Amino acid sequence: MTATRGLEGIVAAESSICSIVDGVLCYGGINIDELAEHATFEEVVYLLWHGALPKRDQLETLKKQLGEAAAVPAEVIDSIRKYPQGIHPMAALRTAVSSLALYDKEAQDMSPEANYRKAIRLMAQTPTLIAAYARLRKGLEPVAPKADYTIAKNFLYMLKGEEPTETAIKALDVALILHADHELNASTFAARVTVATLTDIYSGIVSAIGTLKGPLHGGANEAVAKMLTEIGTMDKVEGYVRNKLDNKEKIMGFGHRVYKDGDPRAKWLKQMSKALTAQIGRPELYEMSVKIDDMVTGEKGLKPNVDFYSASVYISLGLEIDLFTPIFAISRMSGWTAHIMEQYENNRLIRPRADYTGPVGKHYVPIDQR
Ligand code: ACO
Protein backbone atom coordinates (compact mmCIF):
# COMPACT_ATOMS: atom_id res chain seq x y z
CA MET A 1 0.00 0.00 0.00
CA THR A 2 1.37 3.41 -0.91
CA ALA A 3 -0.31 6.64 0.12
CA THR A 4 -1.20 9.46 -2.27
CA ARG A 5 -0.34 12.63 -0.38
CA GLY A 6 -3.36 14.86 0.01
CA LEU A 7 -5.38 12.31 -2.03
CA GLU A 8 -4.30 14.26 -5.10
CA GLY A 9 -5.92 12.90 -8.25
CA ILE A 10 -7.95 10.30 -6.34
CA VAL A 11 -11.57 9.98 -7.47
CA ALA A 12 -13.42 9.36 -4.19
CA ALA A 13 -17.11 9.65 -5.14
CA GLU A 14 -19.57 9.71 -7.99
CA SER A 15 -21.57 12.92 -8.12
CA SER A 16 -23.94 14.63 -10.52
CA ILE A 17 -23.88 18.01 -8.76
CA CYS A 18 -20.81 19.79 -10.06
CA SER A 19 -18.04 19.05 -12.54
CA ILE A 20 -14.57 20.39 -13.26
CA VAL A 21 -13.40 19.12 -16.64
CA ASP A 22 -10.40 20.66 -18.43
CA GLY A 23 -10.62 23.71 -16.20
CA VAL A 24 -14.32 24.30 -16.93
CA LEU A 25 -16.58 24.47 -13.89
CA CYS A 26 -20.25 23.51 -14.28
CA TYR A 27 -23.13 23.12 -11.84
CA GLY A 28 -25.58 20.48 -13.07
CA GLY A 29 -23.93 20.64 -16.51
CA ILE A 30 -24.29 24.44 -16.84
CA ASN A 31 -21.10 26.48 -17.22
CA ILE A 32 -20.48 28.72 -14.22
CA ASP A 33 -19.96 31.65 -16.63
CA GLU A 34 -23.59 31.46 -17.78
CA LEU A 35 -24.82 31.20 -14.21
CA ALA A 36 -22.71 34.15 -13.03
CA GLU A 37 -24.09 36.24 -15.86
CA HIS A 38 -27.77 35.27 -15.81
CA ALA A 39 -28.81 33.32 -12.70
CA THR A 40 -29.75 34.30 -9.17
CA PHE A 41 -28.28 32.54 -6.15
CA GLU A 42 -31.69 31.01 -5.32
CA GLU A 43 -31.85 29.47 -8.81
CA VAL A 44 -28.39 28.00 -8.22
CA VAL A 45 -29.45 26.57 -4.85
CA TYR A 46 -32.36 24.86 -6.60
CA LEU A 47 -30.07 23.63 -9.38
CA LEU A 48 -27.64 22.08 -6.90
CA TRP A 49 -30.41 20.43 -4.89
CA HIS A 50 -32.54 19.19 -7.80
CA GLY A 51 -30.12 18.86 -10.73
CA ALA A 52 -32.12 21.23 -12.97
CA LEU A 53 -33.00 24.92 -13.07
CA PRO A 54 -36.35 25.72 -11.43
CA LYS A 55 -39.45 26.71 -13.34
CA ARG A 56 -40.99 29.97 -12.16
CA ASP A 57 -43.39 28.38 -9.63
CA GLN A 58 -40.65 26.09 -8.29
CA LEU A 59 -38.38 29.07 -7.74
CA GLU A 60 -41.14 31.04 -6.02
CA THR A 61 -41.82 28.08 -3.72
CA LEU A 62 -38.15 27.76 -2.79
CA LYS A 63 -37.82 31.51 -2.16
CA LYS A 64 -40.90 31.41 0.07
CA GLN A 65 -39.56 28.40 1.98
CA LEU A 66 -36.18 30.07 2.47
CA GLY A 67 -37.73 33.37 3.52
CA GLU A 68 -40.05 31.72 6.03
CA ALA A 69 -37.22 29.62 7.51
CA ALA A 70 -34.73 32.49 7.95
CA ALA A 71 -35.49 33.34 11.59
CA VAL A 72 -33.47 31.28 14.09
CA PRO A 73 -34.68 30.01 17.48
CA ALA A 74 -34.45 32.67 20.22
CA GLU A 75 -32.49 30.20 22.37
CA VAL A 76 -29.72 30.10 19.74
CA ILE A 77 -29.51 33.91 19.63
CA ASP A 78 -29.38 33.94 23.44
CA SER A 79 -26.52 31.45 23.44
CA ILE A 80 -24.61 33.58 20.90
CA ARG A 81 -24.87 36.50 23.35
CA LYS A 82 -22.74 34.47 25.77
CA TYR A 83 -19.89 33.69 23.35
CA PRO A 84 -16.58 35.12 24.57
CA GLN A 85 -15.25 38.31 22.97
CA GLY A 86 -12.52 38.05 20.36
CA ILE A 87 -13.41 34.66 18.89
CA HIS A 88 -13.30 34.13 15.14
CA PRO A 89 -16.72 34.38 13.45
CA MET A 90 -16.11 30.96 11.82
CA ALA A 91 -15.75 29.48 15.32
CA ALA A 92 -18.96 31.27 16.31
CA LEU A 93 -20.71 29.93 13.21
CA ARG A 94 -19.48 26.38 13.84
CA THR A 95 -20.94 26.45 17.35
CA ALA A 96 -24.13 28.29 16.37
CA VAL A 97 -24.95 25.84 13.56
CA SER A 98 -24.30 22.97 15.95
CA SER A 99 -26.73 24.49 18.45
CA LEU A 100 -29.41 24.87 15.74
CA ALA A 101 -29.56 21.07 15.77
CA LEU A 102 -30.50 21.09 19.46
CA TYR A 103 -33.69 23.00 18.70
CA ASP A 104 -34.62 21.18 15.47
CA LYS A 105 -37.24 18.54 16.23
CA GLU A 106 -36.35 16.80 12.98
CA ALA A 107 -32.60 16.71 13.69
CA GLN A 108 -32.52 12.90 13.93
CA ASP A 109 -35.14 12.23 11.23
CA MET A 110 -33.17 10.66 8.39
CA SER A 111 -35.97 10.61 5.80
CA PRO A 112 -35.12 12.40 2.53
CA GLU A 113 -38.07 14.78 3.05
CA ALA A 114 -36.86 15.77 6.53
CA ASN A 115 -33.31 16.19 5.25
CA TYR A 116 -34.55 18.48 2.48
CA ARG A 117 -36.45 20.59 5.03
CA LYS A 118 -33.30 20.77 7.16
CA ALA A 119 -31.27 21.80 4.11
CA ILE A 120 -33.71 24.69 3.60
CA ARG A 121 -33.39 25.71 7.26
CA LEU A 122 -29.59 25.50 7.19
CA MET A 123 -29.41 27.54 3.99
CA ALA A 124 -31.85 30.15 5.28
CA GLN A 125 -30.53 30.44 8.82
CA THR A 126 -26.78 30.60 8.21
CA PRO A 127 -26.88 34.27 7.07
CA THR A 128 -29.09 35.09 10.07
CA LEU A 129 -26.59 33.52 12.49
CA ILE A 130 -23.61 35.32 10.98
CA ALA A 131 -25.33 38.70 10.89
CA ALA A 132 -26.57 38.25 14.48
CA TYR A 133 -23.09 37.37 15.73
CA ALA A 134 -21.50 40.26 13.81
CA ARG A 135 -23.90 42.71 15.49
CA LEU A 136 -23.88 41.21 18.98
CA ARG A 137 -20.08 41.36 19.21
CA LYS A 138 -20.35 45.11 18.63
CA GLY A 139 -23.03 45.52 21.29
CA LEU A 140 -25.82 45.90 18.70
CA GLU A 141 -29.08 43.95 18.75
CA PRO A 142 -29.66 41.45 15.91
CA VAL A 143 -31.96 42.55 13.09
CA ALA A 144 -34.74 40.07 12.24
CA PRO A 145 -34.72 38.69 8.67
CA LYS A 146 -37.42 39.72 6.20
CA ALA A 147 -39.34 36.78 4.72
CA ASP A 148 -39.59 38.31 1.24
CA TYR A 149 -35.91 39.20 0.80
CA THR A 150 -33.42 37.12 -1.16
CA ILE A 151 -30.50 35.58 0.72
CA ALA A 152 -28.02 38.23 -0.45
CA LYS A 153 -30.36 41.13 0.32
CA ASN A 154 -31.41 39.73 3.68
CA PHE A 155 -27.85 39.13 4.80
CA LEU A 156 -26.73 42.68 3.99
CA TYR A 157 -29.91 44.07 5.56
CA MET A 158 -29.51 42.07 8.78
CA LEU A 159 -25.81 42.88 9.00
CA LYS A 160 -26.08 46.64 8.65
CA GLY A 161 -29.67 47.21 9.79
CA GLU A 162 -30.41 49.30 6.71
CA GLU A 163 -31.60 48.67 3.16
CA PRO A 164 -28.65 47.60 0.98
CA THR A 165 -28.02 49.14 -2.43
CA GLU A 166 -28.89 47.22 -5.60
CA THR A 167 -25.18 47.24 -6.53
CA ALA A 168 -24.23 45.58 -3.25
CA ILE A 169 -27.04 43.00 -3.51
CA LYS A 170 -26.06 42.10 -7.09
CA ALA A 171 -22.34 41.86 -6.27
CA LEU A 172 -22.96 39.60 -3.28
CA ASP A 173 -25.42 37.48 -5.25
CA VAL A 174 -22.84 36.84 -7.98
CA ALA A 175 -20.17 36.06 -5.36
CA LEU A 176 -22.56 33.55 -3.74
CA ILE A 177 -23.15 31.89 -7.13
CA LEU A 178 -19.41 31.61 -7.80
CA HIS A 179 -18.66 30.00 -4.41
CA ALA A 180 -21.71 27.71 -4.24
CA ASP A 181 -20.11 24.38 -5.10
CA HIS A 182 -16.84 22.87 -6.17
CA GLU A 183 -17.22 19.08 -6.22
CA LEU A 184 -14.94 17.35 -3.70
CA ASN A 185 -13.24 20.38 -2.19
CA ALA A 186 -11.92 19.76 1.33
CA SER A 187 -14.99 20.95 3.26
CA THR A 188 -17.47 19.10 1.06
CA PHE A 189 -15.38 15.97 1.32
CA ALA A 190 -15.35 16.38 5.12
CA ALA A 191 -19.15 16.70 5.08
CA ARG A 192 -19.52 13.57 2.95
CA VAL A 193 -17.12 11.55 5.12
CA THR A 194 -19.08 12.60 8.21
CA VAL A 195 -22.56 11.77 6.94
CA ALA A 196 -21.38 8.53 5.33
CA THR A 197 -21.47 7.14 8.89
CA LEU A 198 -25.22 7.89 8.69
CA THR A 199 -24.97 10.62 11.28
CA ASP A 200 -27.27 13.65 10.92
CA ILE A 201 -26.98 16.52 8.43
CA TYR A 202 -26.02 19.06 11.13
CA SER A 203 -22.98 16.97 12.09
CA GLY A 204 -21.90 16.95 8.44
CA ILE A 205 -22.26 20.73 8.20
CA VAL A 206 -20.30 21.32 11.41
CA SER A 207 -17.44 19.24 9.95
CA ALA A 208 -17.63 21.28 6.76
CA ILE A 209 -17.56 24.64 8.55
CA GLY A 210 -14.54 23.59 10.61
CA THR A 211 -12.78 22.53 7.42
CA LEU A 212 -13.62 25.65 5.42
CA LYS A 213 -12.20 27.80 8.24
CA GLY A 214 -8.57 26.84 7.45
CA PRO A 215 -6.34 29.29 5.53
CA LEU A 216 -5.52 26.73 2.83
CA HIS A 217 -9.26 26.58 2.01
CA GLY A 218 -11.96 29.20 2.68
CA GLY A 219 -9.86 31.13 5.17
CA ALA A 220 -7.67 32.34 2.30
CA ASN A 221 -10.00 35.24 1.40
CA GLU A 222 -9.51 36.75 4.85
CA ALA A 223 -5.74 36.20 4.57
CA VAL A 224 -5.71 38.04 1.21
CA ALA A 225 -7.55 41.02 2.73
CA LYS A 226 -5.05 41.11 5.60
CA MET A 227 -2.20 41.01 3.07
CA LEU A 228 -3.67 43.97 1.13
CA THR A 229 -4.04 45.91 4.38
CA GLU A 230 -0.50 45.02 5.46
CA ILE A 231 0.97 46.11 2.11
CA GLY A 232 -1.04 49.32 2.27
CA THR A 233 0.23 51.18 -0.79
CA MET A 234 1.16 50.42 -4.37
CA ASP A 235 4.88 51.23 -3.87
CA LYS A 236 5.18 48.51 -1.20
CA VAL A 237 3.77 45.68 -3.35
CA GLU A 238 6.98 44.74 -5.11
CA GLY A 239 9.11 44.49 -1.95
CA TYR A 240 6.42 42.56 -0.10
CA VAL A 241 5.89 39.96 -2.83
CA ARG A 242 9.63 39.72 -3.55
CA ASN A 243 10.29 38.98 0.11
CA LYS A 244 7.59 36.30 0.27
CA LEU A 245 8.78 34.61 -2.91
CA ASP A 246 12.44 34.69 -1.85
CA ASN A 247 11.52 33.16 1.52
CA LYS A 248 9.41 30.50 -0.23
CA GLU A 249 6.35 31.63 1.70
CA LYS A 250 2.89 31.03 0.30
CA ILE A 251 1.00 33.96 -1.08
CA MET A 252 -2.63 33.54 -0.17
CA GLY A 253 -5.20 33.46 -2.94
CA PHE A 254 -2.88 31.75 -5.43
CA GLY A 255 -2.62 28.16 -6.57
CA HIS A 256 -5.17 25.40 -6.65
CA ARG A 257 -5.12 21.64 -6.30
CA VAL A 258 -7.30 21.11 -9.37
CA TYR A 259 -6.81 24.18 -11.58
CA LYS A 260 -3.26 24.44 -12.78
CA ASP A 261 -4.15 26.83 -15.58
CA GLY A 262 -6.34 29.30 -13.72
CA ASP A 263 -9.56 29.28 -11.70
CA PRO A 264 -12.56 30.11 -13.94
CA ARG A 265 -14.23 31.97 -11.06
CA ALA A 266 -11.37 34.42 -10.59
CA LYS A 267 -12.03 36.45 -13.76
CA TRP A 268 -15.54 37.33 -12.54
CA LEU A 269 -14.27 38.50 -9.20
CA LYS A 270 -11.45 40.43 -10.87
CA GLN A 271 -13.96 42.28 -13.02
CA MET A 272 -16.17 42.99 -10.00
CA SER A 273 -13.16 44.13 -7.98
CA LYS A 274 -12.23 46.66 -10.69
CA ALA A 275 -15.73 48.14 -10.82
CA LEU A 276 -16.47 48.14 -7.09
CA THR A 277 -13.12 49.49 -5.87
CA ALA A 278 -13.50 52.36 -8.38
CA GLN A 279 -17.02 53.03 -7.14
CA ILE A 280 -15.92 53.39 -3.53
CA GLY A 281 -12.95 55.55 -4.54
CA ARG A 282 -10.31 52.97 -3.61
CA PRO A 283 -9.01 51.81 -7.02
CA GLU A 284 -5.62 51.14 -5.43
CA LEU A 285 -7.05 47.95 -3.87
CA TYR A 286 -7.65 46.59 -7.36
CA GLU A 287 -4.38 47.97 -8.73
CA MET A 288 -2.36 46.42 -5.89
CA SER A 289 -4.16 43.11 -6.46
CA VAL A 290 -3.32 43.18 -10.17
CA LYS A 291 0.33 43.92 -9.41
CA ILE A 292 0.54 41.02 -6.94
CA ASP A 293 -1.20 38.83 -9.53
CA ASP A 294 1.28 39.84 -12.27
CA MET A 295 4.28 39.12 -10.06
CA VAL A 296 3.08 35.76 -8.69
CA THR A 297 1.76 34.56 -12.05
CA GLY A 298 4.86 35.82 -13.86
CA GLU A 299 7.43 34.35 -11.51
CA LYS A 300 5.75 31.25 -10.08
CA GLY A 301 3.23 30.45 -12.81
CA LEU A 302 0.60 30.33 -10.08
CA LYS A 303 -2.77 31.84 -10.99
CA PRO A 304 -5.21 33.56 -8.62
CA ASN A 305 -7.96 31.37 -7.20
CA VAL A 306 -11.52 32.32 -6.19
CA ASP A 307 -10.30 33.85 -2.94
CA PHE A 308 -7.85 36.38 -4.36
CA TYR A 309 -10.08 39.03 -5.96
CA SER A 310 -13.04 38.25 -3.69
CA ALA A 311 -11.10 39.97 -0.90
CA SER A 312 -11.14 43.40 -2.59
CA VAL A 313 -14.77 42.81 -3.67
CA TYR A 314 -15.87 42.26 -0.07
CA ILE A 315 -13.77 45.17 1.23
CA SER A 316 -15.58 47.35 -1.34
CA LEU A 317 -18.93 46.17 0.00
CA GLY A 318 -17.90 47.50 3.42
CA LEU A 319 -17.80 44.03 4.99
CA GLU A 320 -15.56 43.28 7.95
CA ILE A 321 -12.55 41.20 6.98
CA ASP A 322 -13.20 38.34 9.39
CA LEU A 323 -16.69 37.89 7.88
CA PHE A 324 -15.30 36.97 4.46
CA THR A 325 -14.98 33.25 5.21
CA PRO A 326 -18.42 33.09 6.89
CA ILE A 327 -19.82 34.62 3.67
CA PHE A 328 -18.12 31.81 1.77
CA ALA A 329 -19.94 29.44 4.18
CA ILE A 330 -23.32 31.03 3.35
CA SER A 331 -22.72 30.26 -0.30
CA ARG A 332 -21.16 26.82 0.14
CA MET A 333 -24.03 25.76 2.42
CA SER A 334 -25.93 25.14 -0.82
CA GLY A 335 -23.26 22.78 -2.13
CA TRP A 336 -22.62 21.07 1.21
CA THR A 337 -26.29 20.24 1.69
CA ALA A 338 -26.60 19.06 -1.93
CA HIS A 339 -23.64 16.72 -1.47
CA ILE A 340 -24.89 15.45 1.89
CA MET A 341 -28.28 14.58 0.39
CA GLU A 342 -26.55 12.89 -2.55
CA GLN A 343 -24.33 10.91 -0.15
CA TYR A 344 -27.36 9.67 1.82
CA GLU A 345 -29.07 8.60 -1.42
CA ASN A 346 -26.32 6.16 -2.35
CA ASN A 347 -24.32 5.75 0.82
CA ARG A 348 -21.27 3.68 1.57
CA LEU A 349 -19.01 4.28 4.58
CA ILE A 350 -15.90 6.25 3.53
CA ARG A 351 -12.97 4.50 5.17
CA PRO A 352 -9.61 4.58 3.37
CA ARG A 353 -6.42 2.96 4.60
CA ALA A 354 -3.11 4.39 5.86
CA ASP A 355 0.38 3.41 4.76
CA TYR A 356 1.93 2.58 8.16
CA THR A 357 5.42 4.09 8.57
CA GLY A 358 5.98 3.56 12.32
CA PRO A 359 8.12 0.98 14.17
CA VAL A 360 7.28 -2.74 14.08
CA GLY A 361 7.85 -5.70 16.38
CA LYS A 362 8.09 -3.69 19.60
CA HIS A 363 6.88 -4.98 22.98
CA TYR A 364 5.10 -3.64 25.99
CA VAL A 365 7.60 -2.45 28.63
CA PRO A 366 6.40 -2.09 32.24
CA ILE A 367 6.26 1.58 33.23
CA ASP A 368 9.17 1.45 35.78
CA GLN A 369 11.49 -0.09 33.16
CA ARG A 370 10.99 2.61 30.47
N1 ACO B 1 2.20 30.84 -2.98
C1 ACO B 1 3.48 30.41 -3.21
N2 ACO B 1 3.77 29.15 -3.57
C2 ACO B 1 2.76 28.28 -3.71
C3 ACO B 1 1.43 28.67 -3.51
C4 ACO B 1 1.18 29.99 -3.12
N3 ACO B 1 -0.09 30.43 -2.89
N4 ACO B 1 0.61 27.62 -3.74
C5 ACO B 1 1.43 26.60 -4.08
N5 ACO B 1 2.70 27.01 -4.04
C6 ACO B 1 3.87 26.20 -4.36
C7 ACO B 1 4.22 25.32 -3.17
O1 ACO B 1 5.07 25.95 -2.26
C8 ACO B 1 4.83 24.14 -3.85
O2 ACO B 1 6.14 24.46 -4.21
P1 ACO B 1 7.32 23.37 -4.12
O3 ACO B 1 6.90 22.27 -5.06
O4 ACO B 1 8.51 24.14 -4.53
O5 ACO B 1 7.33 22.92 -2.69
C9 ACO B 1 4.02 23.98 -5.12
O6 ACO B 1 3.55 25.30 -5.40
C10 ACO B 1 2.84 23.04 -4.99
O7 ACO B 1 2.03 23.50 -3.90
P2 ACO B 1 1.19 22.58 -2.94
O8 ACO B 1 0.92 23.32 -1.69
O9 ACO B 1 1.83 21.23 -2.81
O10 ACO B 1 -0.11 22.39 -3.83
P3 ACO B 1 -1.45 21.79 -3.30
O11 ACO B 1 -2.17 21.31 -4.46
O12 ACO B 1 -1.19 20.84 -2.19
O13 ACO B 1 -2.17 23.05 -2.63
C11 ACO B 1 -3.30 25.04 -2.30
C12 ACO B 1 -3.14 23.82 -3.20
C13 ACO B 1 -3.53 24.57 -0.85
C14 ACO B 1 -4.52 25.81 -2.74
C15 ACO B 1 -2.04 25.90 -2.37
O14 ACO B 1 -1.87 26.39 -3.69
C16 ACO B 1 -2.06 27.05 -1.38
O15 ACO B 1 -1.69 26.85 -0.22
N6 ACO B 1 -2.52 28.26 -1.80
C17 ACO B 1 -2.64 29.38 -0.90
C18 ACO B 1 -3.90 29.25 -0.05
C19 ACO B 1 -5.15 29.49 -0.86
O16 ACO B 1 -5.25 30.45 -1.61
N7 ACO B 1 -6.17 28.64 -0.62
C20 ACO B 1 -7.48 28.76 -1.29
C21 ACO B 1 -7.65 27.67 -2.32
S1 ACO B 1 -9.17 27.86 -3.17
C22 ACO B 1 -10.30 27.39 -2.06
O17 ACO B 1 -10.10 26.57 -1.22
C23 ACO B 1 -11.57 28.03 -2.08
Side-chain angles (χ1 to χ4, degrees):
M1 289 194 300
T2 47
T4 304
R5 287 194 74 225
L7 299 183
E8 181 164 3
I10 301 291
V11 178
E14 285 183 354
S15 177
S16 59
I17 297 168
C18 170
S19 61
I20 308 168
V21 179
D22 296 334
V24 177
L25 171 62
C26 296
Y27 300 160
I30 305 175
N31 193 311
I32 185 79
D33 290 341
E34 286 182 35
L35 294 168
E37 197 168 349
H38 304 294
T40 62
F41 180 58
E42 282 73 10
E43 284 181 286
V44 165
V45 173
Y46 190 98
L47 173 63
L48 296 173
W49 286 353
H50 297 273
L53 286 170
K55 294 187 196 306
R56 197 175 294 277
D57 60 325
Q58 292 169 324
L59 180 61
E60 287 316 311
T61 302
L62 177 63
K63 284 166 77 173
K64 191 164 179 287
Q65 290 169 323
L66 289 167
E68 285 171 356
V72 302
E75 293 90 338
V76 175
I77 296 292
D78 284 343
S79 66
I80 295 175
R81 289 180 199 280
K82 300 191 186 96
Y83 292 175
Q85 278 295 323
I87 58 169
H88 194 280
M90 282 298 279
L93 180 65
R94 190 183 53 206
T95 300
V97 167
S98 186
S99 55
L100 281 181
L102 306 178
Y103 300 95
D104 189 332
K105 292 193 170 56
E106 293 191 305
Q108 300 305 322
D109 185 338
M110 296 299 282
S111 67
E113 297 75 20
N115 279 328
Y116 186 73
R117 288 191 290 274
K118 283 179 274 184
I120 290 173
R121 289 196 280 279
L122 278 159
M123 186 68 254
Q125 294 175 1
T126 300
T128 313
L129 292 175
I130 297 167
Y133 173 70
R135 290 180 68 83
L136 285 167
R137 70 175 174 175
K138 289 193 281 195
L140 299 169
E141 273 306 296
V143 171
K146 291 206 174 171
D148 58 340
Y149 279 13
T150 63
I151 287 175
K153 185 173 180 182
N154 231 350
F155 176 65
L156 293 171
Y157 166 70
M158 289 186 285
L159 194 62
K160 302 199 179 179
E162 56 191 45
E163 295 299 324
T165 64
E166 285 306 318
T167 308
I169 298 168
K170 178 66 187 159
L172 182 59
D173 206 62
V174 174
L176 294 181
I177 291 171
L178 294 170
H179 290 80
D181 197 43
H182 213 221
E183 49 122 282
L184 282 199
N185 61 91
S187 55
T188 302
F189 186 55
R192 290 189 78 130
V193 169
T194 303
V195 301
T197 68
L198 294 186
T199 186
D200 64 290
I201 189 167
Y202 285 100
S203 300
I205 294 299
V206 171
S207 292
I209 294 170
T211 308
L212 186 73
K213 180 171 175 285
L216 296 189
H217 190 12
N221 57 11
E222 178 181 336
V224 173
K226 285 184 177 154
M227 171 171 73
L228 290 173
T229 312
E230 199 183 325
I231 296 174
T233 49
M234 195 67 179
D235 57 311
K236 305 243 173 63
V237 172
E238 195 158 347
Y240 180 95
V241 177
R242 177 80 291 119
N243 191 37
K244 288 260 177 199
L245 291 176
D246 290 350
N247 290 328
K248 298 209 174 305
E249 282 176 49
K250 280 196 170 171
I251 301 184
M252 291 297 152
F254 287 89
H256 201 277
R257 174 60 68 76
V258 179
Y259 302 117
K260 297 302 173 200
D261 208 21
D263 182 329
R265 303 165 293 183
K267 62 178 176 296
W268 287 97
L269 291 153
K270 182 175 182 181
Q271 186 175 305
M272 285 158 70
S273 165
K274 185 175 186 184
L276 292 166
T277 55
Q279 265 180 40
I280 62 153
R282 294 192 62 193
E284 76 281 3
L285 285 172
Y286 172 75
E287 286 154 13
M288 287 196 304
S289 303
V290 172
K291 188 156 185 186
I292 299 169
D293 183 353
D294 287 347
M295 283 187 76
V296 178
T297 302
E299 293 196 30
K300 294 278 295 184
L302 286 164
K303 307 269 174 66
N305 57 48
V306 70
D307 287 317
F308 185 65
Y309 286 100
S310 67
S312 45
V313 166
Y314 295 152
I315 294 173
S316 306
L317 296 182
L319 301 165
E320 291 158 272
I321 288 176
D322 63 1
L323 296 182
F324 294 4
T325 313
I327 292 168
F328 194 155
I330 294 176
S331 167
R332 192 53 62 85
M333 187 61 71
S334 59
W336 290 332
T337 45
H339 279 269
I340 287 174
M341 290 188 282
E342 188 182 61
Q343 183 67 38
Y344 284 142
E345 264 170 35
N346 185 22
N347 188 57
R348 189 159 191 237
L349 181 77
I350 299 172
R351 202 297 188 193
R353 296 295 311 276
D355 177 13
Y356 177 69
T357 58
V360 292
K362 296 188 78 172
H363 294 285
Y364 179 80
V365 179
I367 196 159
D368 52 2
Q369 292 171 31
R370 286 174 213 161

